[in-house]
Amino acid sequence: MAEIALINLRKTYGHVLAIKDLSLQIQDGEFLVLLGPSGCGKTTTLRAIAGLEMLDRGRIVIGGRDVTQLPPGKRGIAMVFQSYAVFPHMSVYDNIVFGLRMRGMPADEQRRRAQEAAELLEIASLLDRYPAQLSGGQRQRVAVARAMVIRPDVLLMDEPLSNLDALLRLHMRAELKRLHRELRATTVYVTHDQVEALSLGDRIAVLKDGEIVQCDSPGRIYDTPANRFVGGFIGNPPMNFLSGELRTADSALAVIVAGVAVPLAPDHPTSSTGASREVSAPGGTGLAGSLRPGPGRLSAGTVMLGIRPEYIEVVMSSVPDGIPAEVVVLEPAGPNQLLTARVGREAVKVTVATDLVLLPAQRVWLRMSPSRIRLMDATTGRALV
Amino acid sequence: MRVRLVGIYGAALVIGTWVAAPLLLIALAAFTPRNILYEWPRPLWPRAFSLDTMLFFLRSTGVWASTLNSVVVAGLTIGLAFLIAAPTGYALARYRFRGKGAVQLSILVVKMFPATVLSIPLAVAFIRWGLYDTLIGVAIVHTALSIPFVTVIVTSVFVGISYELEEAAMTLGSNRLRAFLRVTLPMAVPGLAAAAIFTFVLSWNEVFAATILTLDHRTLPALIVDSVISAGAPLHFRFAGGFFMVMPAVVIIFLIRRYLLTLWGVTVR
């Protein structure tokens, strides 16, 4: 058990920047997910923690010990690889105790621990088999057992579920969560699957272009994405973005979208700060030139309105705060239906009840839940908090 | 579709005949009694077989000594070639380093120099260095000839073994060397063995350098070329020598033919 500190990590491959300047604190016993699209540097970060990647700069501290210069075997980590990396020329048992043998553990203790891990992962009946005789899911369990038996301070997982079929993935996801609850080892888990991230992580660090864009609890990542990228990456379907004009006149804040004023919740975190910034911006003559466009545009009123598909209500008749839209398609998706509608030139996805019947090109009105609206800067995409 | 099939089988037949017919003719001739061999018209399939010619060949001077020489040279060649080519192949398979492309190219460049051009300077140099007419001298030349092959083969063998396995071993507490010895090497053994046998055949069959660089310590091909063919030995004696020469290679290639496929990228796991 140990906490991890990543301090100003930087890694380049030739001219390609893999990790820009990454710092992160991971608590003892925490399940942290590194989430991002391919090429965002998440696997490189994980491999750096494992000691399989040499860093250009930065330090890694595990359990108060600076491990930056230590080889993988001396860092107190264990890793589950995407390909499982189960040794094909060894039996399941030999695979599981490999790490214990390397540490020179007595044979009876090896046997005891292997048995225990095998039972926990339900592979006790497979100990004499060879990896070639196992299914993908079983091989994966062997890989997890092999990592577990050495009782690492830190468990590292590199997309361990990505090679499994959908049903097995769902099952193993729950298994991994159960294992983590039982073992309580600090876990760093890499994935590009946002559902996995949301369901497994105590915290999720969303990476893009070698930088952490946002690191927060799954709930906060989902509800209050730090920028347009996070909102668009998390959620299935992802967050909708509509361009609008922020209006601060009168007493109530509102965003004008397609000619309709969408009111913002009075306690909306964006309202107060957004308004105050807008008021101060025109007078802020002392601002540096590079900073000026941001607040300047805000005062002009152009913003990006972000809202999740489930927080939009479809109304069949015109209402004051309903944005007129045109139905494009309606797709059944099991427990609900997914409506694609067009507002002006922009497409909006809405999850609606299964009993709703809509025809293509039909006119509907979309009402957004005011407290769920997230405003973003139209140019930078950063959330206006 | 039919035309295509006929074409494929036709081509296979032609190539097969082209390779197998000489082997068959040599084998038949080697076991044909002398008087029948010189008959005219000669029957395609001899009326009788005998071991006389083969036994005569095997009992003639220098055959066993040079066979032993050949085996020693081949063994030395395998050792030397692996000493140089195995680490090179591993590095080429596992690491990205400055000049990697140049190394890969230079390995092939060696193949561009005809041995004939090098033979006289090589003989002179070997006389100066005291390597002339020694088995190690021949082995060194054979090593130079086989390094490109062995490097290419070893590289593809190691490329076929996922580096993640070695990394996994390292995260489980072994150092780089132990990870290699415990994980990669056992998996590479079949491929490496095939490469070694291939090197053996290469050295066993090599005749040019062996002939030029030895005088008294002939390897088998050199002996056959020199004392059998140049010295104008009778035809049946040549056939016996040829058969004795070619047999080990044929048998070995037959035994490792499955691995030969795996040598170039088509890895079996």
Side-chain angles (χ1 to χ4, degrees):
Chain A
M1 304 286 159
E3 73 290 336
I4 306 170
L6 309 179
I7 304 156
N8 301 112
L9 306 187
R10 184 187 170 84
K11 171 75 188 175
T12 51
Y13 296 106
H15 297 294
V16 183
L17 191 62
I19 312 175
K20 208 170 184 177
D21 181 37
L22 189 143
S23 292
L24 185 62
Q25 291 282 337
I26 303 165
Q27 304 307 312
D28 182 20
E30 184 176 9
F31 198 118
L32 181 102
V33 177
L34 295 174
L35 175 70
S38 55
C40 71
K42 56 190 191 300
T43 296
T44 309
T45 306
L46 191 80
R47 289 171 55 85
I49 301 173
L52 297 170
E53 258 352 298
M54 273 301 163
L55 290 165
D56 299 352
R57 208 173 57 206
R59 292 195 302 130
I60 297 169
V61 181
I62 297 176
R65 199 163 55 112
D66 189 327
V67 299
T68 317
Q69 300 300 327
L70 292 182
K74 296 209 185 324
R75 294 187 171 206
I77 55 110
M79 184 157 167
V80 177
F81 289 80
Q82 184 174 8
S83 67
Y84 316 143
V86 172
F87 307 131
H89 60 299
M90 294 183 197
S91 70
V92 169
Y93 179 80
D94 288 334
N95 262 285
I96 293 176
V97 298
F98 186 88
L100 304 178
R101 281 201 184 131
M102 289 296 125
R103 282 165 175 71
M105 185 166 287
D108 52 336
E109 174 69 7
Q110 283 181 24
R111 184 156 290 282
R112 204 182 57 71
R113 283 212 200 172
Q115 199 63 39
E116 189 186 292
E119 266 156 34
L120 197 63
L121 284 151
E122 294 158 14
I123 48 170
S125 60
L126 307 173
L127 289 177
D128 295 329
R129 298 228 195 140
Y130 279 83
Q133 300 165 289
L134 303 181
S135 70
Q138 290 168 332
R139 251 178 260 183
Q140 213 242 351
R141 284 158 186 273
V142 174
V144 175
R146 184 178 67 181
M148 244 178 57
V149 285
I150 60 175
R151 308 236 170 104
D153 297 327
V154 174
L155 189 57
L156 305 172
M157 300 201 195
D158 185 9
E159 309 214 15
L161 304 182
S162 61
N163 287 340
L164 301 179
D165 62 63
L167 202 64
L168 201 55
R169 194 181 308 170
L170 209 63
H171 178 66
M172 275 311 285
R173 206 171 73 197
E175 287 284 275
L176 289 179
K177 190 149 190 168
R178 172 180 71 95
L179 273 177
H180 178 250
R181 205 182 50 225
E182 286 176 26
L183 299 171
R184 275 287 147 204
T186 311
T187 304
V188 184
Y189 184 105
V190 162
T191 184
H192 64 264
D193 183 334
Q194 39 106 6
V195 183
E196 245 169 63
L198 291 170
S199 68
L200 285 170
D202 292 327
R203 271 195 309 159
I204 300 172
V206 183
L207 272 79
K208 187 183 181 237
D209 301 332
E211 281 183 300
I212 294 180
V213 185
Q214 186 175 9
C215 181
D216 230 324
S217 69
R220 286 185 55 80
I221 291 265
Y222 188 80
D223 288 333
T224 54
N227 63 17
R228 188 180 172 163
F229 170 77
V230 177
F233 190 72
I234 308 250
N236 185 26
M239 196 174 233
N240 293 299
F241 297 100
L242 292 165
S243 46
E245 299 276 319
L246 184 68
R247 196 187 61 188
T248 53
D250 312 331
S251 54
L253 271 171
V255 181
I256 317 286
V257 178
V260 176
V262 179
L264 297 177
D267 59 340
H268 196 280
T270 310
S271 329
S272 54
T273 45
S276 70
R277 224 194 260 177
E278 194 191 28
V279 172
S280 67
T285 47
L287 280 171
S290 59
L291 287 173
R292 203 184 295 259
R297 233 163 269 226
L298 189 70
S299 66
T302 310
V303 290
M304 190 71 73
L305 179 152
I307 181 117
R308 296 230 168 253
E310 59 270 34
Y311 300 137
I312 303 175
E313 187 193 349
V314 178
V315 190
M316 308 310 260
S317 57
S318 177
V319 284
D321 56 348
I323 301 167
E326 186 186 310
V327 174
V328 180
V329 283
L330 189 64
E331 304 162 77
N336 49 39
Q337 299 187 89
L338 183 62
L339 165 69
T340 307
R342 202 179 291 129
V343 175
R345 305 185 66 106
E346 295 168 309
V348 177
K349 302 265 186 193
V350 188
T351 44
V352 295
T354 44
D355 53 1
L356 188 71
V357 180
L358 292 168
L359 297 170
Q362 188 180 340
R363 174 143 287 235
V364 291
W365 284 263
L366 304 177
R367 246 166 103 178
M368 319 219 160
S369 171
S371 62
R372 297 297 189 172
I373 290 173
R374 188 122 175 106
L375 294 184
M376 318 241 172
D377 189 293
T379 42
T380 64
R382 204 167 296 146
L384 303 173
V385 179
Chain B
M1 199 58 214
R2 265 183 78 96
V3 175
R4 210 186 128 134
L5 214 63
V6 168
I8 288 172
Y9 276 98
L13 193 73
V14 169
I15 294 169
T17 311
W18 184 66
V19 173
L23 291 178
L24 184 73
L25 290 178
I26 286 178
L28 283 177
F31 290 101
T32 306
R34 208 181 314 175
N35 52 346
I36 300 178
L37 191 66
Y38 290 114
E39 264 179 13
W40 190 264
R42 185 144 55 96
L44 207 58
W45 191 262
R47 282 180 279 114
F49 289 96
S50 91
L51 290 172
D52 288 352
T53 318
M54 273 317 284
L55 290 174
F56 181 65
F57 172 79
L58 293 177
R59 284 188 197 124
S60 52
T61 342
V63 166
W64 289 109
S66 55
T67 305
L68 183 68
N69 284 348
S70 270
V71 171
V72 170
V73 166
L76 285 171
T77 303
I78 291 171
L80 287 173
F82 269 76
L83 207 64
I84 297 164
T88 313
Y90 185 81
L92 287 173
R94 289 291 192 251
Y95 302 114
R96 281 187 298 179
F97 52 90
R98 197 181 293 271
K100 180 175 174 172
V103 170
Q104 273 172 317
L105 197 65
S106 66
I107 287 166
L108 294 178
V109 164
V110 175
K111 286 269 116 187
M112 286 167 57
F113 291 99
T116 329
V117 177
L118 297 172
S119 58
I120 300 303
L122 208 58
V124 173
F126 272 31
I127 290 169
R128 272 191 204 147
W129 297 334
L131 285 171
Y132 188 76
D133 199 19
T134 60
L135 297 183
I136 185 75
V138 180
I140 287 171
V141 176
H142 286 183
T143 303
L145 293 174
S146 56
I147 277 176
F149 284 108
V150 180
T151 310
V152 169
I153 293 169
V154 170
T155 305
S156 77
V157 167
F158 284 133
V159 163
I161 299 168
S162 166
Y163 188 42
E164 275 200 350
L165 293 172
E166 232 168 295
E167 290 185 328
M170 284 193 264
T171 62
L172 290 168
S174 34
N175 58 31
R176 208 172 268 280
L177 181 68
R178 248 173 131 193
F180 174 76
L181 294 178
R182 295 288 299 264
V183 174
T184 306
L185 193 59
M187 296 176 66
V189 158
L192 297 183
I197 291 170
F198 196 73
T199 311
F200 182 92
V201 173
L202 206 78
S203 168
W204 176 269
N205 284 341
E206 201 285 326
V207 63
F208 190 79
T211 312
I212 287 180
L213 297 175
T214 58
L215 211 55
D216 296 328
H217 299 96
R218 292 295 205 197
T219 61
L220 192 60
L223 178 90
I224 290 173
V225 165
D226 187 48
S227 66
V228 177
I229 298 174
S230 322
L235 201 57
H236 61 276
F237 196 73
R238 297 186 195 187
F239 283 130
F243 180 74
F244 187 69
M245 240 346 277
V246 82
M247 241 17 242
V250 170
V251 170
I252 287 169
I253 294 292
F254 180 77
L255 291 178
I256 65 162
R257 66 196 191 285
R258 255 165 40 101
Y259 289 115
L260 282 179
L261 282 179
T262 71
L263 290 183
W264 284 278
V266 195
T267 45
V268 176
R269 273 190 237 178

